[in-house]
């Protein structure tokens, strides 16, 4: 799955000369926590709620409340934004975005097509894509099967499903640090009793069943 399929196109943006209260108002209005910062159509930074929180005046100050409010109200986005943000291409795979976000500990990536901002990809977008890729909301059954990590395992499982006229809609394999792999099969039916029996007869171990109706 590509970034362009899951990104939010035409995201809300703000300019570097806007004030911090303007950014706060925009974030609250549209329920977002990060805004790309554009100057003459070019991406120059990203401002987040955490950037604003760090720039907020401390209670331990010699200024009066009125003075603090005045100074904070004049504070420009250019002073608090993160410059040179990490970006990604719309043609990149979602897993590339996930690795970047995880390794850099960031919640949103601007999506750039050349020098042009075409969207943003967020943690929520990745979670939605994960749910979709695994068919977690679709009607049917999800079987978690423990199997040896060797050639031909998936072929054996698909043969069993075909024999029972069951369509496999989704497949995922989890290896991790386990001695055996966990194969997750998404099936288009709630009636899997005979299929499960056949799977266990073939030497597989059924670990979990989840039915969505």
């Amino acid at each position: 799955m590509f970034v362009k399929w899951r990104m939010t196109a035409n995201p809300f943006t703000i300019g570097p000369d806007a004030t911090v209260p303007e950014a706060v108002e925009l974030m609250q209005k549209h329920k977002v926590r990060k805004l790309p910062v554009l100057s003459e159509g070019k991406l120059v930074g990203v401002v987040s709620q955490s950037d604003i929180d760090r720039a907020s005046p401390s209670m331990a100050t010699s200024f009066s409340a009125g003075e603090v409010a005045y100074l904070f109200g004049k504070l420009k986005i250019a002073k608090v934004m993160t410059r040179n943000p990490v970006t990604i291409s719309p043609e990149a795979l979602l897993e590339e975005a996930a690795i970047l976000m995880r390794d850099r500990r960031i919640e949103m990536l601007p999506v750039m097509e050349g020098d042009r901002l075409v969207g943003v990809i967020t943690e929520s977008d990745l979670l939605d894509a994960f749910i979709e890729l695994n068919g977690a909301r679709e009607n049917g059954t999800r079987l978690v099967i423990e199997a040896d990590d060797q050639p031909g395992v998936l072929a054996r499982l698909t043969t069993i499903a075909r024999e029972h006229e069951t369509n496999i809609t989704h497949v995922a394999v989890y290896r991790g640090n386990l001695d055996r792999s966990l194969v997750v099969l998404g099936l288009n039916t709630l009636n899997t009793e005979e299929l499960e029996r056949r799977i266990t007869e073939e030497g597989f171990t059924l670990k979990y069943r989840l039915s969505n109706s």
Side-chain angles (χ1 to χ4, degrees):
M1 189 177 288
F2 295 104
V3 167
K4 63 184 177 183
W5 293 348
R6 299 303 311 193
M7 72 181 187
T8 300
N10 303 313
F12 300 105
T13 65
I14 199 164
D17 293 328
T19 64
V20 167
E22 289 174 324
V24 171
E25 182 180 1
L26 189 61
M27 289 179 182
Q28 290 177 345
K29 179 180 179 180
H30 298 292
K31 295 180 173 59
V32 296
R33 292 183 56 82
K34 287 179 177 285
L35 293 169
V37 183
L38 298 185
S39 178
E40 298 180 350
K42 303 295 184 182
L43 182 71
V44 295
V46 169
V47 65
S48 67
Q49 184 62 55
S50 58
D51 293 326
I52 292 171
D53 291 342
R54 284 193 294 269
S56 299
S58 168
M59 295 299 291
T61 176
S62 59
F63 291 108
S64 68
E67 289 171 324
V68 167
Y70 175 80
L71 292 173
F72 191 65
K74 296 295 184 180
L75 186 60
K76 302 292 186 181
I77 293 300
K79 295 292 186 180
V80 302
M81 70 183 187
T82 299
R83 297 178 182 273
N84 302 314
V86 180
T87 65
I88 198 163
S89 163
E91 304 299 330
L93 294 174
L94 276 183
E95 49 261 47
E96 296 179 82
I99 290 171
L100 271 177
M101 294 167 72
R102 180 63 173 168
D103 289 351
R104 303 295 184 92
R105 298 183 179 181
I106 51 182
E107 299 173 355
M108 182 267 281
L109 288 172
V111 183
M112 303 295 294
E113 195 166 61
D115 293 331
R116 184 169 65 95
L117 178 74
V118 294
V120 295
I121 190 84
T122 67
E123 287 183 331
S124 293
D125 295 325
L126 294 179
L127 286 173
D128 288 341
F130 176 79
I131 291 170
E132 181 181 331
L133 282 168
N134 285 276
R137 297 190 190 277
E138 295 183 14
N139 291 343
T141 305
R142 292 164 59 76
L143 299 180
V144 181
I145 302 160
E146 189 178 66
D148 292 328
D149 190 1
Q150 61 185 20
V153 166
L154 288 179
R156 289 168 61 196
L157 289 172
T158 56
T159 297
I160 295 170
R162 185 177 66 250
E163 290 172 351
H164 287 77
E165 299 181 349
T166 301
N167 186 32
I168 297 176
T169 57
H170 299 83
V171 179
V173 179
Y174 298 92
R175 290 184 174 88
N177 297 319
L178 303 174
D179 293 331
R180 307 180 77 197
S181 295
L182 292 178
V183 180
V184 183
L185 296 184
L187 307 170
N188 68 336
T189 179
L190 296 174
N191 183 14
T192 60
E193 183 176 344
E194 286 301 313
L195 179 65
E196 292 173 32
R197 181 185 58 77
R198 186 77 175 89
I199 286 172
T200 55
E201 286 178 352
E202 284 292 313
F204 298 104
T205 303
L206 183 64
K207 303 292 290 185
Y208 190 75
R209 179 200 305 106
L210 175 65
S211 296
N212 288 337
S213 57

